[in-house]
């Protein structure tokens, strides 16, 4: 059998609960259909049904992480570090749109540029396919204008990215929005090129 | 602004000429005044006479001169033009000073008071009346001489202008520098004298700090810190260093502004979606919404009577200044001139508003008369921000930004004098976000 992941300590309990419920249901159905059946017989039936819903078996059948597990095995087979989640390998593929973790904005604008939409769609798809992945979206502005207004503008940019990711299938609980306004410039200079670089949203996988 | 006159006084040079044996701590002190000073009061500040063997490190007269110059209300006789250096009323030949067009004269002396203390005497003299307007004698230690110089500056200012002096009131600001190990930036929250000297760092963080605001009682600062990797609002006691986190909701927690009674903070939160203005009761922590708009509403500041909150909003498409009642029931637009007006600060008399104002693509500090709506640019640009009125309303302190980085400067509301604030911070340190 495939090695078990114990990331969710409650899973065995929940599965056991499900099994017990189903067993009870089956038991009841039997009792309704055959009210005259001997109590011992019913108990025997229940025991058999319980064994059919063995927690280990149930988990093995239902566990979505098995697919993940198989991909990890493949990664090991391909010589990748087994401790490094395969996701990282996918994310680091240089030709993938996922390798781009930064989108830029026009002055005082939070509109996503057309060129950046395929990039964000790719990230949304990745997040959809990797429900355990989390992303922090940092919004940034250039240095011009007032700092507090820029803090709010940075949030508006990060939220524009978040909306597009959600519209394309990422869950809101996978996404966190933080604005740094103009406080964390990428290029610490005062010129048009620097400002264009600094007006950005950063996509940071946790 | 062609009629502007540029005066450059290198005080260190003067100090060295007058007192060649003194290695002053203020060797780099340069006052660079740009602005008209028509109608300014002519005054001479004579270097304080030192008794034999008395050599304090702190020079009092240059501190007074710098303070007075900054206000734009005084036309200071350059030290090179001093024909005489009297130390007391009895030694003054008033006709000489009248001939030089001087209305007022500051003289003084410093003597040994024993036990490492000094006795300092100052006199403010009226050149036309030939009389003493004010005079006082103090005994203190070296470490208090700067405070004393500010104190004397306040007395002179009050005696001549009949307005409150605020040189003794401290400023707060944010200093930002590259870390020595090259790994990111260090942010410091600093409290300093009103002339930028004697900075005391009260908080250091690798993450951004911004928007310090004095409580009306001036014992606490509210500010925004990213120490938790996102914006949160703190209130810190200046003396004890103790602090409370007063806002840490989902989204933005920023732009704190104390109500005139000190009981409430107007803040910007985005916990319910867009950035809006809220009030936080400082004692209870209760939060109440003021604005509820899909646009950005931020940078709230109170009118001195507490009846209005002025704030920045881009609800009209671009950032402009609006005002609303603290219950949010009545809101109106305040600025119409220029494509970008933000970060309002209201003068203590409620008559003027200082703001960041965009003109020809550059950012200046401008004043708007709240009655006539007339707008006047008072700074030099090109990337000025964060205006804050002096407690007496006569000066606006702000961040002067440009290719040379950021430093603090003051602009006078009359006379248009602009002066960079002398700073003891390192030259490559960005000094910004002043609150006075």
């Amino acid at each position: 059998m495939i090695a078990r992941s114990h990331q969710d300590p409650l899973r065995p309990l929940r599965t056991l609960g499900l099994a017990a419920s189903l067993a009870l249901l089956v038991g009841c159905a039997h009792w309704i259909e055959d009210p005259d059946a001997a109590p011992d017989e019913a108990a025997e039936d229940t025991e058999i049904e319980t064994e059919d819903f063995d927690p280990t078996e149930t988990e093995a059948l239902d566990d979505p992480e098995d697919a993940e597990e198989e991909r990890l095995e493949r990664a090991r087979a391909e010589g990748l570090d087994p401790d490094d989640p395969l996701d990282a390998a996918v994310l680091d593929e240089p030709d993938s749109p996922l390798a781009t973790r930064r989108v830029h904005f026009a002055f005082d604008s939070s509109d996503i540029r057309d060129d950046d939409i395929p990039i964000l769609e790719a990230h949304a798809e990745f997040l959809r396919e990797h429900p355990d992945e989390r992303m922090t979206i940092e919004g940034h502005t250039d240095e011009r204008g007032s700092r507090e207004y820029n803090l709010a503008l940075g949030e508006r940019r990060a939220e524009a990215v978040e909306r597009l990711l959600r519209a394309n299938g990422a869950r809101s609980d996978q996404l966190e929005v933080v604005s740094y306004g103009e406080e964390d410039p990428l290029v610490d200079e005062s010129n048009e090129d620097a400002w264009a670089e600094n007006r950005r949203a950063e996509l940071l996988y946790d | 602004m062609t009629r502007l006159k540029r005066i450059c006084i290198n005080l260190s040079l003067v100090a060295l000429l007058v007192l060649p044996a003194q290695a002053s701590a203020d060797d780099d002190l340069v006052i660079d005044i740009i602005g008209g000073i028509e109608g300014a009061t002519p005054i001479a500040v004579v270097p304080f006479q030192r008794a034999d063997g008395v050599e304090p490190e702190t020079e009092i007269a240059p501190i007074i001169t710098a303070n007075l110059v900054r206000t734009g209300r005084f036309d200071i006789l350059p030290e090179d033009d001093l024909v005489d250096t009297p130390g007391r009323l009895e030694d003054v030949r008033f006709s000489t000073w009248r001939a030089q067009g001087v209305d007022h004269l500051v003289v003084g002396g410093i003597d040994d008071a024993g036990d490492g203390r000094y006795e300092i005497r100052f006199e403010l003299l009226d050149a036309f009346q030939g009389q003493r307007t004010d005079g006082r004698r103090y005994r203190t230690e070296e470490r208090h001489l700067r405070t004393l110089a500010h104190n004397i500056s306040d007395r002179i200012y009050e005696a001549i202008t009949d307005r409150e002096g605020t040189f003794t009131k401290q400023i707060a600001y944010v200093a930002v520098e590259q870390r020595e190990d090259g790994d990111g930036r260090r942010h410091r929250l600093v409290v300093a004298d009103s002339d930028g000297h004697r900075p005391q760092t009260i908080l250091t963080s690798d993450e951004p700090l911004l928007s310090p605001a004095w409580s009306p009682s001036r014992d606490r600062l509210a500010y925004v810190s990213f120490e938790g990797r996102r914006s949160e609002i703190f209130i810190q006691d200046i003396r004890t260093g103790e602090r409370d986190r007063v806002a840490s909701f989902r989204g933005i927690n920023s732009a704190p502004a104390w109500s005139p009674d000190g009981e409430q903070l107007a803040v910007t939160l985005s916990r319910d979606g867009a950035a809006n203005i809220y009030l936080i009761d400082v004692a209870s922590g209760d939060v109440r919404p003021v604005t509820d708009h899909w646009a950005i509403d931020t940078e709230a500041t109170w009118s001195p009577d507490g009846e209005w909150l002025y704030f920045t909003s881009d609800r009209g498409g671009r950032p402009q200044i609006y005002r609303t009642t603290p219950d949010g029931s009545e809101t109106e637009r305040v600025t119409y001139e220029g494509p970008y007006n933000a970060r309002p600060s209201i003068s203590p008399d409620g008559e003027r508003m200082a703001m960041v104002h965009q003109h020809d693509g550059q950012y200046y500090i401008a004043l708007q008369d709240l009655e006539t709506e007339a707008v006047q640019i008072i700074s030099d640009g090109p990337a000025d921000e964060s205006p804050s009125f002096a407690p007496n309303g006569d000066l606006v302190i702000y961040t002067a930004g440009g290719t040379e980085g950021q430093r603090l400067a003051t602009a006078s509301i009359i006379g248009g004098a602009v002066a960079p604030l002398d700073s003891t911070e390192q030259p490559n340190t960005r000094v910004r976000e002043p609150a006075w």
Side-chain angles (χ1 to χ4, degrees):
Chain A
M1 204 60 238
I2 295 165
R4 211 80 351 256
S5 156
H6 292 292
Q7 281 180 332
D8 182 353
L10 293 177
R11 179 179 288 125
L13 268 180
R14 279 206 290 270
T15 314
L16 196 63
L18 178 71
S21 306
L22 281 168
L24 193 63
L25 206 67
V26 169
C28 285
H30 188 266
W31 182 73
I32 290 162
E33 277 172 12
D34 189 3
D36 296 323
D40 285 352
E41 225 176 293
E44 266 175 37
D45 283 351
T46 305
E47 274 167 27
I48 292 162
E49 290 300 316
T50 304
E51 278 182 16
D52 279 350
F53 285 91
D54 176 270
T56 318
E57 288 299 315
T58 309
E59 196 172 274
L61 290 169
D62 292 346
D63 188 2
E65 282 186 13
D66 278 358
E68 197 70 20
E69 208 51 61
E70 278 171 33
R71 282 204 296 273
L72 262 179
E73 296 242 304
R74 274 208 308 276
R76 288 188 196 99
E78 286 165 22
L80 295 168
D81 181 357
D83 293 330
D84 189 33
L86 185 61
D87 301 345
V90 174
L91 285 170
D92 290 341
E93 178 62 48
D95 295 333
S96 161
L98 295 175
T100 303
R101 310 282 172 78
R102 190 175 287 150
V103 294
H104 290 92
F105 297 85
F107 176 67
D108 201 18
S109 167
S110 55
D111 295 341
I112 307 287
R113 291 173 172 174
D114 289 349
D115 291 353
D116 289 332
I117 289 175
I119 293 165
L120 295 177
E121 285 172 346
H123 283 284
E125 187 185 349
F126 178 83
L127 287 165
R128 200 174 63 226
E129 289 174 355
H130 300 82
D132 290 337
E133 285 288 347
R134 297 283 184 276
M135 178 193 280
T136 299
I137 307 162
E138 282 186 4
H140 299 267
T141 72
D142 68 29
E143 66 183 5
R144 290 175 294 169
S146 78
R147 310 190 85 84
E148 287 283 2
Y149 177 78
N150 283 340
L151 192 58
L153 179 60
E155 181 174 71
R156 189 186 270 174
R157 284 176 178 160
E159 282 176 347
V161 170
E162 188 210 20
R163 267 196 306 279
L164 200 144
L165 293 177
R166 277 196 287 114
N168 286 280
R171 294 192 324 270
S172 57
D173 67 357
Q174 288 178 285
L175 304 171
E176 186 171 356
V177 162
V178 173
S179 175
Y180 275 82
E182 63 176 280
E183 307 303 325
D184 192 14
L186 205 58
V187 182
D188 213 346
E189 294 170 18
S190 299
N191 55 60
E192 290 289 348
D193 290 345
W195 293 332
E197 278 295 314
N198 292 336
R199 292 190 299 266
R200 70 200 194 275
E202 308 257 4
L203 315 178
L204 306 174
Y205 284 94
D206 293 352
Chain B
M1 295 174 91
T2 49
R3 66 188 172 80
L4 296 187
K5 174 166 144 191
R6 179 177 282 258
I7 307 166
C8 213
I9 309 167
N10 190 324
L11 283 174
S12 66
L13 183 63
V14 173
L16 288 170
L17 284 173
V18 174
L19 297 152
Q22 283 297 313
S24 167
D26 300 329
D27 276 355
D28 58 346
L29 179 61
V30 176
I31 300 176
D32 188 357
I33 312 135
I34 304 156
I37 46 174
E38 293 149 36
T41 304
I43 187 169
V45 181
V46 179
F48 282 28
Q49 277 188 351
R50 297 172 167 212
D52 284 346
V54 176
E55 295 183 351
E57 283 180 27
T58 307
E59 273 258 50
I60 293 186
I63 298 170
I64 297 172
T65 302
N67 284 340
L68 297 180
V69 162
R70 187 176 297 291
T71 67
R73 290 171 180 264
F74 297 91
D75 183 4
I76 311 259
L77 188 70
E79 287 219 32
D80 286 349
D81 294 351
L82 293 177
V83 292
D84 193 9
T85 54
R88 59 182 65 244
L89 172 67
E90 293 75 20
D91 301 337
V92 175
R93 288 193 306 277
F94 284 103
S95 58
T96 311
W97 299 98
R98 283 197 293 270
Q100 285 193 288
V102 169
D103 288 359
H104 301 275
L105 191 61
V106 177
V107 298
I110 185 158
D111 206 343
D112 189 352
D115 297 334
R117 288 158 68 86
Y118 296 111
E119 182 176 285
I120 302 96
R121 178 184 43 78
F122 99 94
E123 294 176 81
L124 173 63
L125 307 174
D126 184 318
F128 281 86
Q129 307 279 335
Q131 289 175 351
R132 185 188 295 127
T133 312
D134 190 16
R136 213 165 174 83
R137 202 185 300 271
Y138 308 86
R139 285 186 182 178
T140 191
E141 300 156 43
E142 170 78 48
R143 63 193 175 98
H144 296 312
L145 287 181
R146 279 204 153 264
T147 306
L148 177 61
H150 293 313
N151 205 295
I152 294 172
S153 303
D154 278 350
R155 293 187 69 98
I156 295 167
Y157 192 75
E158 285 164 11
I160 296 176
T161 67
D162 206 23
R163 296 177 63 85
E164 180 200 359
T166 51
F167 303 113
T168 43
K169 300 252 168 76
Q170 289 179 303
I171 58 169
Y173 60 80
V174 174
V176 185
E177 54 233 334
Q178 290 295 321
R179 284 163 49 107
E180 289 85 354
D181 56 14
D183 189 16
R185 304 175 190 91
R186 177 184 296 113
H187 302 75
R188 290 182 291 118
L189 182 59
V190 181
V191 171
D193 281 7
S194 66
D195 60 356
H197 282 260
R198 291 197 297 186
Q200 298 161 269
T201 297
I202 65 165
L203 179 68
T204 302
S205 169
D206 289 344
E207 301 295 333
L209 300 170
L210 68 161
S211 302
W214 288 102
S215 66
S217 53
R218 300 186 69 83
D219 55 353
R220 287 172 293 169
L221 279 174
Y223 57 87
V224 176
S225 170
F226 278 74
E227 286 159 283
R229 302 289 296 172
R230 58 198 210 82
S231 57
E232 296 171 313
I233 301 171
F234 291 83
I235 293 177
Q236 182 163 331
D237 188 293
I238 300 301
R239 267 162 283 280
T240 66
E242 284 173 23
R243 62 177 189 163
D244 293 321
R245 189 167 61 184
V246 295
S248 181
F249 300 101
R250 187 201 76 83
I252 293 175
N253 301 270
S254 70
W258 296 86
S259 62
D261 62 10
E263 290 180 4
Q264 291 177 299
L265 274 188
V267 300
T268 299
L269 305 177
S270 64
R271 63 172 197 177
D272 302 318
N276 272 297
I277 311 295
Y278 293 75
L279 295 183
I280 296 180
D281 186 277
V282 174
S284 70
D286 291 347
V287 179
R288 186 156 63 81
V290 178
T291 66
D292 179 13
H293 200 282
W294 53 265
I296 292 172
D297 289 349
T298 188
E299 303 178 328
T301 190
W302 299 76
S303 63
D305 60 11
E307 290 184 9
W308 293 98
L309 281 164
Y310 288 74
F311 64 99
T312 307
S313 177
D314 69 346
R315 58 183 64 190
R318 299 295 316 277
Q320 293 289 348
I321 294 165
Y322 294 73
R323 68 175 191 175
T324 187
T325 48
D327 64 1
S329 62
E330 200 182 323
T331 303
E332 59 194 37
R333 184 168 164 176
V334 178
T335 52
Y336 290 92
E337 192 167 319
Y340 187 112
N341 292 294
R343 182 80 177 221
S345 171
I346 310 297
S347 65
D349 62 9
E351 291 177 8
R352 297 178 185 82
M353 176 173 68
M355 60 197 181
V356 177
H357 173 76
Q358 192 189 333
H359 179 74
D360 282 347
Q362 303 197 323
Y363 296 86
Y364 302 90
I365 306 305
L367 290 180
Q368 178 162 324
D369 185 306
L370 289 174
E371 201 178 303
T372 68
E373 296 188 357
V375 174
Q376 180 197 1
I377 291 175
I378 58 167
S379 76
D380 299 333
D384 299 339
E385 59 184 30
S386 306
S388 166
F389 272 98
N392 66 1
D394 289 352
L395 289 174
V396 175
I397 192 167
Y398 61 96
T399 311
T403 50
E404 291 162 25
Q406 292 175 317
R407 55 180 181 171
L408 303 187
T410 56
S412 63
I413 62 159
I414 61 154
V418 169
L421 203 69
D422 193 29
S423 174
T424 53
E425 302 288 354
Q426 294 299 309
N428 57 355
T429 296
R430 293 174 186 208
V431 187
R432 63 194 187 205
E433 302 269 282
W436 195 345

